[in-house]
Amino acid sequence: MTVFGRVHMPSLGGATGWLNSDPLGPAELRGHLVLVNFWTLTCINWLRQEPYVRAWAQAYRDDGLIVIGVHTPEFSFEHEIDRVRQATKARAIDYPVVLDNDYEVWDAFDNHYWPALYFVDTEGIIRDQHFGEGRYEQSERVIQGLLGVERELVSVEGLGAEAQADWDHLQTPETYLGYERSERFASPGGAAFDEGRAYELPERLRLNHWALAGEWTIGRENVVLDQAGGSIAYRFHARDAHLVLSAGARDPIAFRVLVDGAPPGPSHGVDVDEDGTGVLRDGRLYQLVREPDTVRERTLQITFLDPGAEAYVFTFG
């Protein structure tokens, strides 16, 4: 356990709202062990951590643990309360969730990461912290130590996008599409910012590069399809391929996924069928590919049948 001296848990008073609870302050939290978890609904690293946090919240609730999720949005559409409420319901999160749309709680903790865990003892002192995935056994031992209990660790198995990554075969990094953080864009002629333009796929995509085809506008945090039939292609090496998507104000948008030019078949992700068909309804992370057999270098292409699709970031697992 890391000891930080007597650093008190910062205030949650900057919250823009709460889900699953009335506002909690020092009076309500006094005498409880508090685990603060910073998250944002599209983050694959948080999604893979969440089964553990959810299990701890349930396993140690009667021992005095209060888990507080702090939702600090990364992308603009994640500010919408209904989206956070929907994500909370979809993940069966029943513990209190702070809405931190103004980043005041994030700044009060001087936090810099999704996900982040802060372990706060019964006197309100931060006793440990962890950033990113992993370290699950040690984190649960910290909880047990601060509660004064000792028992078998919880059993956790993440499903769908919550499944742990295949780290041994993961060779492709997270890739943002908006120009603020974009890398390895491969459409001929390069990118035009904040204006509509026709793009083409290159004859060959190199590993970990991506490209557009059709009429798109490349914005600061996303790419937006201007005319039906546009595609995004990515050459990757990973078991799982995900894409954060939003339909904006549009009705649901149908899409089709091809892997190496063919329907994915058994390699389809949870948001796509074997024929490669999917529907963009909610702003969230979509799992497009899950390779059931040998992980190898492959090309993913997603084509949207209607305009208005917004794509933010590819993540892999």
Side-chain angles (χ1 to χ4, degrees):
M1 184 186 305
T2 305
V3 178
F4 297 94
R6 297 191 65 81
V7 178
H8 281 80
M9 172 180 160
S11 170
L12 303 175
T16 53
W18 288 74
L19 301 177
N20 297 336
S21 175
D22 292 330
L24 300 176
E28 292 81 15
L29 299 177
R30 186 174 298 115
H32 290 274
L33 173 64
V34 179
L35 178 62
V36 178
N37 177 212
F38 282 88
W39 63 288
T40 188
L41 67 92
T42 60
C43 177
I44 185 61
N45 308 102
W46 168 73
L47 285 165
R48 293 193 292 237
Q49 180 195 72
E50 173 54 24
Y52 292 88
V53 176
R54 193 166 58 232
W56 298 335
Q58 295 167 359
Y60 298 101
R61 183 171 295 157
D62 292 342
D63 299 294
L65 174 66
I66 295 178
V67 174
I68 299 177
V70 179
H71 184 270
T72 310
E74 180 175 13
F75 301 119
S76 55
F77 74 86
E78 294 177 291
H79 286 75
E80 299 175 21
I81 294 175
D82 284 345
R83 294 188 191 275
V84 185
R85 185 178 287 112
Q86 188 174 26
T88 300
K89 182 178 180 181
R91 299 295 157 196
I93 295 171
D94 62 356
Y95 50 79
V97 172
V98 172
L99 302 175
D100 187 32
N101 279 358
D102 296 335
Y103 274 64
E104 289 197 17
V105 179
W106 177 280
D107 289 341
F109 275 77
D110 192 26
N111 187 57
H112 301 280
Y113 306 99
W114 297 282
L117 295 172
Y118 294 87
F119 302 76
V120 184
D121 71 14
T122 57
E123 297 181 0
I125 306 299
I126 296 176
R127 298 290 298 277
D128 195 17
Q129 61 190 28
H130 178 69
F131 306 119
E133 299 177 62
R135 207 199 73 157
Y136 299 118
E137 179 176 342
Q138 182 180 342
S139 290
E140 187 172 354
R141 292 297 185 198
V142 170
I143 292 170
Q144 290 188 355
L146 292 172
L147 288 173
V149 302
E150 185 176 351
R151 55 177 178 258
E152 187 175 345
L153 300 180
V154 297
S155 177
V156 174
E157 180 182 6
L159 302 176
E162 293 186 341
Q164 295 306 295
D166 181 2
W167 298 110
D168 291 340
H169 300 100
L170 178 55
Q171 298 180 20
T172 297
E174 181 177 59
T175 303
Y176 288 86
L177 306 186
Y179 61 75
E180 184 176 60
R181 289 184 280 181
S182 178
E183 296 180 280
R184 299 179 296 279
F185 180 62
S187 283
F193 298 161
D194 294 322
E195 61 180 53
R197 179 180 161 183
Y199 293 92
E200 297 179 355
L201 300 182
E203 290 186 10
R204 177 179 173 272
L205 266 178
R206 290 185 294 158
L207 179 63
N208 299 339
H209 285 66
W210 65 281
L212 298 172
E215 299 277 346
W216 293 84
T217 296
I218 299 178
R220 182 184 62 82
E221 68 172 4
N222 60 20
V223 296
V224 182
L225 181 60
D226 298 324
Q227 293 188 13
S231 300
I232 310 173
Y234 198 114
R235 184 76 171 167
F236 72 99
H237 189 292
R239 184 195 66 195
D240 303 338
H242 315 98
L243 181 57
V244 173
L245 296 167
S246 173
R250 300 275 182 160
D251 292 329
I253 297 172
F255 62 80
R256 182 111 190 271
V257 169
L258 299 178
V259 179
D260 295 336
S267 298
H268 71 96
V270 295
D271 293 300
V272 180
D273 64 20
E274 289 193 357
D275 292 330
T277 300
V279 179
L280 166 55
R281 290 189 176 90
D282 311 314
R284 60 178 177 86
L285 178 142
Y286 287 74
Q287 186 182 86
L288 306 180
V289 176
R290 166 154 288 170
E291 179 57 63
D293 299 314
T294 303
V295 176
R296 61 192 187 278
E297 191 173 316
R298 310 196 75 178
T299 297
L300 159 71
Q301 183 170 345
I302 179 170
T303 302
F304 300 93
L305 278 59
D306 295 295
E310 303 173 358
Y312 291 78
V313 58
F314 279 100
T315 59
F316 301 90

